[in-house]
Amino acid sequence: MKSGKFWAWLVFALGAAYFFIPLIATVEFSMRMRRGEYSFDAYKVVLGDARFQATFGYSVLAAVFTIILGVLIVVPAAYWIRLRLPQLRPIVEFITLLPLVIPAIVIVFGYIRMYGSNSPLPFLATDTGTNALLVIGYATLALPYMYRAVDTGLRTIDVRTLTEAAQILGAGWGTIITRVILPNVLIAVLSGAFLTFAIVIGEFTMASLLNRPAFGPYLQNIGANRAYEPAALAIIAFAITWGCMSLIQILSRFAPKSANRPN
Amino acid sequence: MADPFLSIQHVRKSFGATTVVEDFNLDVERGEFVSFLGPSGCGKTTVLRMVAGFEEPSAGTIVVSGKDITRLKPNQRNVGMVFQAYALFPNLTVAQNIGFGLKVAGMPRADIDARVTEMLGIIKLPQMADRYPYQLSGGQQQRIALARAIAPKPKLLLLDEPLSALDAKVRVSLREEIRSIQKKLGITTIFVTHDQEEALSISDRIAVMYGGKAEQVGTPFEIYNRPATKFVANFVGTLNVLEGTVTDAAAGTVRVNSEQVSLKGKLNGSKSGDTLSLALRPEAISLGRQPGRDSSLSGEISEVHFLGSVIRVRVGIGGNTVSLDTFNSPATPPPAVGEKAEISFSSSDMLVLH
Ligand SMILES: Nc1ncnc2c1ncn2[C@@H]1O[C@H](COP(=O)(O)OP(=O)(O)O)[C@@H](O)[C@H]1O
Ligand SMILES: [Mg+2]
């Protein structure tokens, strides 16, 4: 019992060290811009940089659209598969995993061939079209995470019986999805949304090859040309991700508790 | 006869190659409480789901108050349903759950509130309006589910094993409550159960189902005392089965363990020498010869269980064992195992199983 606890703590301490030492080192380095003393100069430079503000704003907007698109596609699809097509689940799970296997660069080259300015669908000829393509590409990249989050959420409720209970009370599909299904998987949808956010904020390949002014290419650019600012940026990006995760935790307290387990 | 309120006519349901419900027929009167009773897998839920509109019959029609609803969607049928797993919406309060159907129907807010309050009164949970389902016990959740189902004043109430997830005590009290609410509101109800005691105690009529068919439809009294088939006789109640051989078909005499029993008029079509299964309910048998009982058999007492007010005795008759109950009487000690005993019964109580 005692020694079991000791080993558990040891493993925990090693894990924590593995995680925190590089983090602390990065923080320490990012604060050494001013010679001989610690300061937040690097952060001031980064946050004051107009390109930071522009690219970060662009990526946040892209993330919001990606989340909306992802929710609109994934929630009805995952719901319908659970309700009516359970035999398709393995196939759909496989498809949602493809973005993890196929490099983003392949998607981008596919885009450029399919939607180039000389093609019948010249999406890439305009900025709006390119932005739309970027969001669609991001939604694809986020698909594995979004689908899994939503599907896990759906697993905690008895989708079929709740749907039938609503139907027999006169509800149509719109009411069922908005009043019964979505509120019960909202926390799952939000955690999928935050994961999507984190992915979109840091994404480089697609944004760079489609030549969009996103945060990922900016990060790369700073990283290649400066010393202290990249460390500060890494910490900022980390704080954003961490903040997203904490929000998921806080929100999950408000999740409706499932009472659909007959005792 | 007036047209029945609900009429299920020649309904069949197949899933792929397997036929789950075959030629199911049932007429239900307005305000009637009908139970579907049968073992698990006999198609009770499937018939109920066809009435609700969740499954489409492969053949046949379902008519409610003169209107063919066979192909209507569930949300167009105005039917209430209670599920085994309660199926309350976890994100909504009790009041919102009960008001769900009313809100969907576009009822004004004030009317919804009034109706919800009324329903909470009917199910005797007036203080629970603002609770969430997870804060309630199973029995309370199922009462809320009942209130939710009847709040929109449905034409039909369907209950699919609503009590089987609850513990025994709650089960008994809730079934009586369901029945009294049903009577008070006069709502036509179909109640699915595999528990014969439940079906016998609260139904106007019972449809005993087996293998996708209604084996027998009748009042609890008829089902119990005059089972139409061997299956019904065995499934409903405890039954003592004795083997007998027809000695004289014309006179209606049957030999049971070397003693003669007269079953005049019950043998329909059996020939002399045929072997029959004869059945007796425990309460139709008395220990010792009793006035008014025309038949008797002798055997030996094999088991005695003292249950308090009742003593359950098992008597070996030839190769068969017969259970019977006698009331405890403080003046008479119970019989002892191994004693010779005689059992008596009225031959009119004996069932010939076909
Ligand atoms: N959707 C379905 N697909 C295939 N078979 C089904 C389906 N629903 C029910 N069954 C089968 O139909 C039979 C009757 O089921 P059910 O009506 O649920 O029985 P009960 O409610 O009497 O226990 C069972 O053998 C079950 O396996
Ligand atoms: Mg069933």
Side-chain angles (χ1 to χ4, degrees):
Chain A
M1 181 70 219
K2 263 252 142 82
S3 83
K5 245 189 181 154
F6 169 78
W7 288 109
W9 277 110
L10 185 72
V11 170
F12 177 76
L14 283 175
Y18 183 80
F19 179 76
F20 278 109
I21 289 172
L23 192 65
I24 293 166
T26 309
V27 172
E28 200 264 351
F29 182 72
S30 73
M31 292 166 68
R32 280 212 293 204
M33 195 177 205
R34 203 177 293 174
R35 208 163 283 244
E37 60 173 318
Y38 287 134
S39 72
F40 288 102
D41 283 3
Y43 293 87
K44 276 188 207 128
V45 171
V46 165
L47 293 176
D49 183 351
R51 280 179 308 155
F52 169 86
Q53 290 156 10
T55 57
F56 190 73
Y58 179 89
S59 283
V60 167
L61 200 62
V64 169
F65 279 111
T66 306
I67 289 165
I68 293 171
L69 181 66
V71 169
L72 286 180
I73 293 173
V74 168
V75 172
Y79 168 62
W80 200 251
I81 286 160
R82 283 220 160 241
L83 189 66
R84 290 290 150 84
L85 304 165
Q87 69 276 17
L88 277 189
R89 263 190 65 195
I91 300 169
V92 172
E93 279 191 2
F94 176 74
I95 291 173
T96 62
L97 282 178
L98 285 179
L100 293 181
V101 184
I102 299 172
I105 195 162
V106 174
I107 300 179
V108 176
F109 278 120
Y111 275 178
I112 291 172
R113 284 198 78 120
M114 285 280 293
Y115 305 115
S117 26
N118 301 325
S119 73
L121 291 168
F123 269 99
L124 295 176
T126 62
D127 268 3
T128 320
T130 315
N131 289 340
L133 271 188
L134 185 67
V135 165
I136 293 169
Y138 281 167
T140 311
L141 287 186
L143 191 62
Y145 308 98
M146 196 55 142
Y147 180 81
R148 251 158 212 74
V150 171
D151 197 51
T152 308
L154 287 172
R155 191 176 311 156
T156 61
I157 57 172
D158 184 346
V159 168
R160 192 174 125 155
T161 316
L162 288 184
T163 300
E164 289 180 349
Q167 270 181 317
I168 203 79
L169 288 164
W173 291 116
T175 312
I176 294 173
I177 296 211
T178 54
R179 291 246 302 145
V180 178
I181 301 301
L182 203 53
N184 283 301
V185 297
L186 196 60
I187 299 307
V189 168
L190 282 175
S191 55
F194 287 129
L195 284 170
T196 305
F197 187 82
I199 291 168
V200 170
I201 290 297
E203 207 283 333
F204 169 75
T205 316
M206 283 195 174
S208 164
L209 289 176
L210 292 177
N211 202 18
R212 294 289 84 205
F215 191 55
Y218 170 74
L219 271 183
Q220 193 273 340
N221 185 277
I222 296 287
N225 301 312
R226 303 285 185 83
Y228 300 102
E229 288 89 337
L233 269 173
I235 295 301
I236 291 171
F238 181 81
I240 292 169
T241 316
W242 193 292
C244 286
M245 296 303 152
S246 320
L247 274 179
I248 295 176
Q249 289 299 318
I250 292 167
L251 284 169
S252 63
R253 297 226 185 116
F254 298 103
K257 301 203 175 43
S258 180
N260 283 298
R261 279 175 248 104
N263 32 4
Chain B
M1 193 180 102
D3 279 344
F5 183 69
L6 163 68
S7 181
I8 305 174
Q9 297 158 0
H10 305 292
V11 161
R12 182 166 62 77
K13 178 69 189 176
S14 308
F15 292 107
T18 46
T19 299
V20 171
V21 175
E22 261 178 88
D23 196 29
F24 188 92
N25 291 284
L26 180 72
D27 285 347
V28 180
E29 297 302 322
R30 188 185 289 274
E32 205 178 6
F33 190 112
V34 176
S35 291
F36 291 176
L37 174 64
S40 170
C42 70
K44 307 179 294 291
T45 297
T46 306
V47 174
L48 202 73
R49 290 173 60 80
M50 289 191 282
V51 177
F54 295 130
E55 306 282 356
E56 198 174 311
S58 310
T61 43
I62 299 169
V63 178
V64 175
S65 55
K67 190 171 161 226
D68 184 343
I69 61 160
T70 318
R71 314 259 168 247
L72 276 190
K73 295 212 172 71
N75 56 5
Q76 300 165 337
R77 292 195 180 199
N78 192 15
V79 163
M81 186 150 173
V82 176
F83 301 83
Q84 178 179 346
Y86 323 138
L88 295 178
F89 306 122
N91 56 312
L92 302 181
T93 62
V94 163
Q96 288 168 329
N97 264 284
I98 297 175
F100 188 91
L102 307 172
K103 188 163 174 183
V104 167
M107 192 187 254
R109 181 72 197 272
D111 297 359
I112 295 180
D113 291 347
R115 180 82 176 140
V116 167
T117 309
E118 182 192 345
M119 295 316 304
L120 284 168
I122 288 179
I123 57 165
K124 303 198 184 85
L125 292 174
Q127 305 87 6
M128 298 287 176
D130 298 323
R131 298 268 188 104
Y132 281 90
Y134 75 92
Q135 297 169 313
L136 304 175
S137 73
Q140 290 171 331
Q141 288 191 52
Q142 198 59 300
R143 283 197 272 172
I144 304 296
L146 177 69
R148 180 180 68 177
I150 56 186
K153 304 197 169 141
K155 288 187 188 148
L156 275 177
L157 176 62
L158 310 176
L159 304 110
D160 191 358
E161 311 221 9
L163 306 174
S164 55
L166 303 171
D167 53 49
K169 225 172 178 174
V170 180
R171 208 147 63 207
V172 172
S173 65
L174 190 50
R175 81 182 182 212
E176 274 148 23
E177 204 170 324
I178 289 174
R179 174 59 159 159
S180 88
I181 292 171
Q182 182 270 338
K183 266 189 177 152
K184 189 154 61 185
L185 304 180
I187 182 168
T188 313
T189 300
I190 299 181
F191 181 95
V192 164
T193 179
H194 62 261
D195 181 331
Q196 39 130 341
E197 187 196 315
E198 217 163 86
L200 290 170
S201 65
I202 58 174
S203 314
D204 289 318
R205 283 191 304 151
I206 298 173
V208 182
M209 290 185 62
Y210 179 60
K213 285 190 187 145
E215 288 266 308
Q216 185 177 3
V217 182
T219 62
F221 185 85
E222 287 165 350
I223 296 282
Y224 189 83
N225 293 304
R226 289 195 284 283
T229 66
K230 205 169 186 162
F231 173 79
V232 176
N234 272 307
F235 190 73
V236 182
T238 315
L239 208 59
N240 297 299
V241 180
L242 297 164
E243 295 302 318
T245 312
V246 180
T247 45
D248 186 341
T253 50
V254 175
R255 190 182 67 238
V256 180
N257 188 33
S258 79
E259 287 170 278
Q260 296 290 333
V261 177
S262 168
L263 292 174
K264 215 171 163 72
K266 288 198 161 192
L267 297 183
N268 55 353
S270 302
K271 297 181 292 292
S272 300
D274 283 359
T275 313
L276 296 176
S277 294
L278 306 171
L280 279 169
R281 298 284 185 201
E283 63 272 22
I285 311 172
S286 321
L287 205 53
R289 281 189 189 263
Q290 299 285 336
R293 304 255 152 137
D294 59 16
S295 308
S296 66
L297 293 168
S298 43
E300 190 183 296
I301 293 186
S302 61
E303 283 173 51
V304 176
H305 297 284
F306 187 76
L307 304 174
S309 66
V310 166
I311 303 168
R312 175 150 292 182
V313 181
R314 289 162 74 78
V315 184
I317 312 259
N320 300 299
T321 311
V322 166
S323 270
L324 60 95
D325 294 339
T326 65
F327 283 110
N328 172 39
S329 131
T332 340
V337 173
E339 269 176 35
K340 293 271 175 245
E342 210 165 13
I343 61 162
S344 60
F345 53 90
S346 301
S347 57
S348 60
D349 288 340
M350 189 165 247
L351 307 166
V352 180
L353 304 181
H354 298 284

